[in-house]
Amino acid sequence: MHGALLAGFLITASVLPVNDMFPTSEDVRFQKIQKAAGEKEWPFVVASGMLGCIKVLGQRKVYFIPDEALQDRPFNIDVNLFSMSMTNLGITDILAPYGDTKQLIYRLAPFVTMGQRLCDQDPGTFVTGPEL
């Protein structure tokens, strides 16, 4: 309840744009990614997919959408593993096996950074190459 009141206040005070509070599908930015030949630290079980970034409550949220339909919703990737596990509750077949949390963060960090850079692009952007 307190979060909703705070959000309402921030919007009416023009501190937080409405788009950041209630993003739409047009606010998402996308980039196609794929596993390079011989890449050993690829974090996903599928060889390709899309990174997506959307601003929610002023924070950049990064998602991976596999090319192969493993799930019916995007998979949130983050270096905050607790937050990532809560957001992706019940999705267990996206990440490739890893030895420990350090290895998982090492694998995910470049994609989280690249995905967050997508949010610096105009809403609705689709990056086709490895520009980021």
Side-chain angles (χ1 to χ4, degrees):
M1 179 66 176
H2 296 293
L5 289 174
L6 177 62
F9 172 75
L10 292 174
I11 289 172
T12 56
S14 299
V15 175
L16 188 64
V18 175
N19 294 26
D20 287 352
M21 191 65 190
F22 304 105
T24 66
S25 59
E26 290 84 32
D27 295 321
V28 182
R29 293 86 163 164
F30 291 106
Q31 180 175 5
K32 179 87 170 138
I33 60 171
Q34 63 185 24
K35 182 178 179 180
E39 185 171 354
K40 295 188 182 341
E41 298 298 330
W42 181 256
F44 310 108
V45 294
V46 296
S48 62
M50 304 237 310
L51 276 182
C53 184
I54 192 164
K55 289 183 182 176
V56 179
L57 295 175
Q59 295 184 353
R60 298 179 283 183
K61 299 294 183 181
V62 180
Y63 291 88
F64 176 71
I65 302 115
D67 280 345
E68 301 169 23
L70 296 174
Q71 288 288 334
D72 59 352
R73 67 179 199 199
F75 185 82
N76 174 248
I77 59 172
D78 198 335
V79 292
N80 179 338
L81 298 183
F82 180 75
S83 173
M84 187 175 81
S85 65
M86 290 290 103
T87 304
N88 298 312
L89 200 60
I91 302 176
T92 59
D93 58 351
I94 300 292
L95 297 175
Y98 53 91
D100 56 18
T101 56
K102 182 179 175 183
Q103 182 184 30
L104 178 61
I105 291 171
Y106 176 78
R107 288 178 178 179
L108 289 176
F111 295 98
V112 172
T113 301
M114 187 178 359
Q116 289 177 341
R117 287 186 195 149
L118 278 172
C119 274
D120 297 335
Q121 308 301 314
D122 292 330
T125 298
F126 183 84
V127 180
T128 56
E131 292 99 25
L132 300 175

